[in-house]
Amino acid sequence: SSETVTTVTQAPGICHRDRELGEVTKLLTCQAPFVFVTGPPNTGKSYCVDHAVKSVQDSLNIVFVDMRDVLKVQGFFHSVLSQLSRDTMTSHDSVTSRDTPIPDHTSDFVRILSSKVSEPSVIVVKHAQLLNELNSPLFASVAVLHQLTYGKVSVVMIF
């Protein structure tokens, strides 16, 4: 069997984070279903994930959602679906030029997401603890998106 070796270069501004960068990059490369990144505030969690994402962005679709910018569950759905859409947004209420409505329910979101994703994708959720403030079942659903999308979508949650 062959192994893939990932070389991680030191990111400017991150001192002594080679191990963490290597771990996150490896998890992204092998499409780990779900990754938690936790730690005290202002310790470089987001910066580390951002750097790791840049090293694999040519092989994966990457979607970023900062939960501080999301006020409703539909806002989360809209953010993810619009970033995956290759079409220009035509209105606030559509996610593609074909006027697909923003789903109200997680099951509809997963169905649409599965149909839009044709290559491996990763959703990076910053300030993921805020998911529970929107809707507690949403957190559980996002945590199992890999399974719900038949392995198409992985999730990285930064707390």
Side-chain angles (χ1 to χ4, degrees):
S1 87
S2 75
E3 285 188 31
T4 302
V5 177
T6 304
T7 303
V8 178
T9 57
Q10 182 66 37
I14 298 182
C15 297
H16 311 292
R17 292 281 187 225
D18 289 337
R19 184 177 58 83
E20 290 87 351
L21 283 168
E23 287 176 14
V24 173
T25 302
K26 181 179 176 183
L27 291 168
L28 289 171
T29 302
C30 74
Q31 299 170 13
F34 186 68
V35 179
F36 273 103
V37 180
T38 63
N42 300 314
T43 55
K45 298 179 298 292
S46 293
Y47 192 80
C48 184
V49 170
D50 290 346
H51 184 72
V53 163
K54 285 178 186 172
S55 71
V56 298
Q57 68 186 3
D58 291 338
S59 60
L60 298 169
N61 276 332
I62 308 291
V63 173
F64 287 95
V65 180
D66 188 331
M67 291 307 297
R68 295 175 299 183
D69 300 330
V70 175
L71 303 176
K72 300 186 311 185
V73 173
Q74 290 80 8
F76 177 83
F77 298 159
H78 178 267
S79 181
V80 171
L81 295 173
S82 65
Q83 288 180 64
L84 287 172
S85 176
R86 299 204 188 282
D87 299 321
T88 303
M89 296 292 288
T90 58
S91 75
H92 178 69
D93 294 327
S94 67
V95 294
T96 71
S97 61
R98 293 179 300 278
D99 292 328
T100 304
I102 298 170
D104 288 323
H105 302 286
T106 304
S107 59
D108 294 329
F109 167 69
V110 171
R111 182 181 46 76
I112 294 168
L113 180 63
S114 291
S115 71
K116 289 176 101 25
V117 175
S118 59
E119 59 187 60
S121 300
V122 177
I123 300 172
V124 177
V125 183
K126 296 181 178 184
H127 304 281
Q129 67 276 11
L130 299 175
L131 273 170
N132 275 336
E133 293 179 18
L134 290 181
N135 177 327
S136 57
L138 180 62
F139 183 91
S141 297
V142 169
V144 294
L145 270 179
H146 191 262
Q147 180 180 358
L148 295 174
T149 60
Y150 303 101
K152 294 179 183 179
V153 178
S154 300
V155 177
V156 176
M157 288 195 184
I158 305 170
F159 291 85

